[in-house]
Amino acid sequence: MTDMSLRLPTTHFRAVFDLGPRPAAQTPLPTALGKPNLYAEYDDDDLITALYVGYETGQVHLETTPSGEVEHHFHLANGDDSDLSPFGVADTRVLVEWSTRLIVDLHRRMPDLLDEVDEAAAWHDAGFDLYVCEVEEPRKLDLVEVDIEGELLTLPWLGSGAVEHDHIEGDDHPIALSWTPQGASDGVAIAEAWLDPRTDQPVTKALPGVDWDAVGWGRDEVLPWLEAIYMNHHVLPDAAGTILTGVLERLGGIDGTD
């Protein structure tokens, strides 16, 4: 089990963005549903924006199309796709209207908004607690305040050669740790990690046939190291993701400042 006492402290970060008009903020969300969890992605190749709006009882996922339209579908509380909304009829109508306004507004800002979020995250990672965007003339700006969770302190890779970790096929978000010996061009998988759905904690296993003497770091050292890497990269929210969520909440008018 990962030693969570080795985590860096949570930091309070402020970022100033030039967001301008926010159409979704003018559409109230259903109060009975509470505050949603928001996440967004942008596909640079297909120029498509995706928005995820989640509650304990279910989710609505929205995606822009190349023709400029917005499509949506629902997920149940267990994550299964559903043609029917897990919410009431009236709540669904208002939720879809709000979410559609938000994704249309978000899509017109892409990819510039993500570039600004990444720049703000870089300021946080450099140890600063305030980022301010550049503007050509005075105007009303938006202050986004977020608490960014600290990562686990980890050692650098102390074995021989080099390692990298990538997603692989399978349930519960598995990754494989690939090791490339010195002088070699191809890596070999030596361990895997995934998320236990019962505990939301990472689980690791060593793969058979690994020459741990050649790896230069023992199995009992590599697996805890991989577990911490999984926590940092696949469980704990990073600075960019946390700032993006704060921006989405601001655009949607649910950050508590309006």
Side-chain angles (χ1 to χ4, degrees):
M1 179 65 68
T2 303
D3 184 357
M4 299 302 288
S5 68
L6 298 178
R7 285 184 65 178
L8 294 170
T10 295
T11 56
H12 188 73
F13 186 74
R14 297 173 297 158
V16 177
F17 295 95
D18 180 13
L19 300 180
R22 296 174 289 121
Q26 310 307 315
T27 302
L29 272 171
T31 57
L33 296 180
K35 184 178 179 180
N37 295 314
L38 302 178
Y39 184 71
E41 295 178 313
Y42 182 71
D43 188 324
D44 288 298
D45 295 327
D46 296 328
L47 307 182
I48 289 174
T49 299
L51 174 67
Y52 307 88
V53 183
Y55 296 90
E56 289 187 0
T57 53
Q59 299 178 336
V60 57
H61 290 187
L62 301 95
E63 190 172 277
T64 59
T65 66
S67 63
E69 299 177 350
V70 175
E71 298 176 345
H72 73 271
H73 64 277
F74 300 99
H75 287 255
L76 303 178
N78 61 5
D80 291 344
D81 290 347
S82 174
D83 294 331
L84 300 176
S85 170
F87 317 108
V89 175
D91 287 344
T92 297
R93 177 182 56 80
V94 177
L95 175 59
V96 171
E97 179 183 356
W98 178 85
S99 302
T100 300
R101 286 193 176 190
L102 180 55
I103 193 174
V104 169
D105 184 28
L106 184 64
H107 183 64
R108 72 178 180 84
R109 303 171 185 271
M110 294 297 189
D112 295 341
L113 180 60
L114 287 186
D115 292 339
E116 273 204 290
V117 166
D118 287 340
E119 185 175 350
W123 278 66
H124 168 269
D125 294 342
F128 299 103
D129 60 7
L130 173 65
Y131 163 81
V132 180
C133 66
E134 295 184 8
V135 293
E136 296 181 355
E137 58 185 23
R139 66 179 68 195
K140 182 180 183 299
L141 302 177
D142 291 88
L143 175 64
V144 174
E145 298 188 71
V146 294
D147 291 323
I148 300 176
E149 296 186 45
E151 291 189 344
L152 285 166
L153 294 173
T154 58
L155 292 171
W157 173 252
L158 297 181
S160 65
V163 290
E164 61 181 13
H165 52 92
D166 296 296
H167 283 285
I168 57 176
E169 292 294 328
D171 297 329
D172 305 318
H173 309 290
I175 67 170
L177 181 68
S178 298
W179 169 67
T180 303
Q182 291 179 349
S185 57
D186 297 325
V188 57
I190 62 174
E192 293 180 358
W194 63 96
L195 196 65
D196 186 334
R198 298 169 300 175
T199 64
D200 288 331
Q201 295 296 315
V203 180
T204 60
K205 73 173 182 180
L207 298 180
V210 176
D211 184 349
W212 294 104
D213 290 334
V215 170
W217 214 14
R219 173 186 180 278
D220 293 339
E221 296 166 310
V222 170
L223 292 186
W225 181 83
L226 177 59
E227 183 178 320
I229 293 296
Y230 191 99
M231 285 289 297
N232 282 343
H233 291 272
H234 304 283
V235 177
L236 299 176
D238 62 5
T242 302
I243 295 170
L244 176 58
T245 296
V247 171
L248 293 174
E249 292 181 352
R250 180 66 178 160
L251 290 174
I254 60 171
D255 61 341
T257 60
D258 290 333

